[in-house]
């Protein structure tokens, strides 16, 4: 750690410390962490309808999968709700990972600020999830270190327009 009362510049500055923290997190994630498959929605491809978020032609296009090493993954089985169509449940997924892992697949701070992750998908435990929010859990001098991804399960009938995930809708 750097001494705050000593020098203004030295070897142990914020850049050095955060780089060291991220390297340590990568080592931990690869040794004992889990992994999730992350799919980025292709915003440049006009295959999706802008208004209704439904696939047109060959459906929505996702790039990936990007293998994201996670420090911790929680898959919550959702409670059953009694509806007119029968029992309905939706699972939740909470993924804690380093922001460095997301940055390596092309994520930027602007993706979080502008909600560009809201159409992304995660596959974990043989289920498809939609990313609903990203929370920064740790930050040093405006440099994101640890983030949490909150996700909601997509049911087979919701995957009809996603050709890449059609094998999950059967």
């Amino acid at each position: 750690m750097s001494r705050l009362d000593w020098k203004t510049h030295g070897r142990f500055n914020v850049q050095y410390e955060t780089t060291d923290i991220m390297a340590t997190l990568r080592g931990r994630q690869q040794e004992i962490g889990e992994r999730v498959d992350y799919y980025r929605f292709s915003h440049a491809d006009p295959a999706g309808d802008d208004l209704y978020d439904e696939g047109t032609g060959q459906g929505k296009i996702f790039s990936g999968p990007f293998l994201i090493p996670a420090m911790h993954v929680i898959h919550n089985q959702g409670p059953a709700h009694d509806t007119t169509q029968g029992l309905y449940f939706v699972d939740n997924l909470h993924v804690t990972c380093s922001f460095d892992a997301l940055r390596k697949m092309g994520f930027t701070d602007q993706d979080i600020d502008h909600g560009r992750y809201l159409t992304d998908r995660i596959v974990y435990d043989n289920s498809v999830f939609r990313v609903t929010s990203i929370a920064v859990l740790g930050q040093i001098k405006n440099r994101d270190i640890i983030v949490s991804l909150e996700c909601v399960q997509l049911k087979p009938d919701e995957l009809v327009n996603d050709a890449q995930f059609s094998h999950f809708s059967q």
Side-chain angles (χ1 to χ4, degrees), residues 71-118:
M71 292 185 291
H72 193 62
V73 179
I74 300 172
H75 182 183
N76 290 329
Q77 302 291 338
H81 299 286
D82 194 12
T83 65
T84 56
Q85 291 83 18
L87 291 177
Y88 189 79
F89 63 93
V90 177
D91 294 352
N92 294 312
L93 186 72
H94 309 280
V95 179
T96 304
C97 64
S98 69
F99 186 69
D100 190 44
L102 295 179
R103 183 171 278 129
K104 286 186 185 299
M105 63 172 220
F107 234 83
T108 64
D109 295 327
Q110 286 77 23
D111 289 335
I112 293 176
D113 293 341
H114 298 291
R116 292 188 60 149
Y117 57 84
L118 292 173

Side-chain angles (χ1 to χ4, degrees), residues 41-43 45 47-56 59-62 116-121 130-131 154 158-162:
F41 178 71
S42 177
H43 291 278
D45 196 330
D49 186 284
D50 291 335
L51 183 60
Y52 297 108
D53 190 35
E54 294 178 352
T56 59
K60 292 186 262 184
I61 304 298
F62 295 87
R116 292 188 60 149
Y117 57 84
L118 292 173
T119 49
D120 294 348
R121 304 286 187 256
R130 179 177 51 89
V131 180
L154 293 172
E158 298 172 303
L159 296 172
V160 172
N161 293 319
D162 296 345

Side-chain angles (χ1 to χ4, degrees), residues 5-64:
D5 63 341
W6 182 247
K7 301 185 236 176
T8 57
H9 296 79
R11 186 175 128 201
F12 298 110
N13 57 19
V14 172
Q15 178 70 28
Y16 176 87
E17 294 290 341
T18 54
T19 302
D20 196 39
I21 289 169
M22 288 181 195
T24 304
L25 288 175
R26 274 193 303 277
R28 182 189 184 279
Q29 289 169 341
Q30 294 191 0
E31 288 298 318
I32 60 174
E34 296 186 62
R35 289 169 170 72
V36 296
D37 291 331
Y38 197 101
Y39 292 83
R40 297 281 325 253
F41 178 71
S42 177
H43 291 278
D45 196 330
D49 186 284
D50 291 335
L51 183 60
Y52 297 108
D53 190 35
E54 294 178 352
T56 59
Q58 61 183 354
K60 292 186 262 184
I61 304 298
F62 295 87
S63 58

Side-chain angles (χ1 to χ4, degrees), residues 95-169:
V95 179
T96 304
C97 64
S98 69
F99 186 69
D100 190 44
L102 295 179
R103 183 171 278 129
K104 286 186 185 299
M105 63 172 220
F107 234 83
T108 64
D109 295 327
Q110 286 77 23
D111 289 335
I112 293 176
D113 293 341
H114 298 291
R116 292 188 60 149
Y117 57 84
L118 292 173
T119 49
D120 294 348
R121 304 286 187 256
I122 287 181
V123 174
Y124 179 77
D125 201 17
N126 219 17
S127 297
V128 180
F129 296 87
R130 179 177 51 89
V131 180
T132 58
S133 68
I134 295 179
V136 177
L137 302 179
Q139 191 178 63
I140 297 176
K141 289 273 193 169
N142 294 328
R143 189 171 181 190
D144 297 341
I145 303 295
I146 297 175
V147 294
S148 172
L149 308 170
E150 304 296 323
C151 309
V152 174
Q153 182 184 17
L154 293 172
K155 293 298 194 172
D157 60 331
E158 298 172 303
L159 296 172
V160 172
N161 293 319
D162 296 345
Q164 287 176 274
F165 304 107
S166 61
H167 57 283
F168 290 102
S169 63

